Amino acid sequence: MTVDFANPESVRAWLAGVLESFSCQTGTLHRADGEWLDLVVQIGVPDFLLPKIARIPFGKGIAGVAAERREPVELCNLQENLGGVARPDARETKVSGSLAVPVLSADGALVLGTLGIGMQVPHDFTEEEKSRLSGIAADIGKTWSGS
């Protein structure tokens, strides 16, 4: 599916398709602005949490850590495992299994954002699932690198 990142409805429809393909209920796409991540689109995040995820510093929360480390970050059960990666407010999403991957520039030199998905049951994402989501993020990186 071709995504028009200038059209919020196109991005929302694309994210809904990504969530469906992973059987997930929540998803976020953030775009980097320096050492910060700005929310582009979300599905399934409770309204009261939107101010907390609208702008995330690198290194904070699952998305921020994925951006900082430049690698996938996963939590099997967000409701129990906060281990310093997820913020305590993350429990309010009612999401258990979650995965965030960095969106890198086409040459891999820059972090352009993050893509995150979550499901309402505990889930260990397989290497294939991590690779698939990273591939989707790489496609975004190619698009954003050219913009």
Side-chain angles (χ1 to χ4, degrees):
M1 173 181 186
T2 302
V3 184
D4 175 3
F5 285 98
N7 179 338
E9 288 309 311
S10 176
V11 180
R12 187 172 192 66
W14 167 83
L15 183 57
V18 170
L19 295 180
E20 183 177 335
S21 74
F22 284 89
S23 299
C24 287
Q25 295 75 44
T26 64
T28 60
L29 177 64
H30 285 85
R31 191 155 188 175
D33 176 19
E35 293 291 309
W36 290 84
L37 297 168
D38 292 321
L39 185 64
V40 173
V41 67
Q42 64 82 25
I43 293 176
V45 176
D47 288 344
F48 71 92
L49 287 177
L50 293 178
K52 295 181 186 216
I53 68 162
R55 188 160 170 86
I56 301 170
F58 278 33
K60 296 290 184 179
I62 297 167
V65 171
E68 181 179 67
R69 294 182 183 171
R70 303 169 59 96
E71 64 184 32
V73 173
E74 168 192 18
L75 289 176
C76 170
N77 190 345
L78 188 56
Q79 297 304 307
E80 293 177 5
N81 179 4
L82 294 180
V85 173
R87 299 177 61 102
D89 292 336
R91 288 185 173 156
E92 300 301 320
T93 64
K94 304 301 181 204
V95 169
S96 287
S98 59
L99 174 64
V101 297
V103 174
L104 301 174
S105 58
D107 64 4
L110 300 172
V111 175
L112 302 177
T114 59
L115 174 61
I117 58 174
M119 53 183 63
Q120 294 173 338
V121 297
H123 180 74
D124 282 315
F125 286 90
T126 65
E127 289 304 315
E128 186 274 332
E129 289 170 320
K130 291 175 193 176
S131 178
R132 208 163 39 108
L133 192 64
S134 293
I136 294 167
D139 289 342
I140 298 166
K142 290 174 191 168
T143 301
W144 283 355
S145 292
S147 61

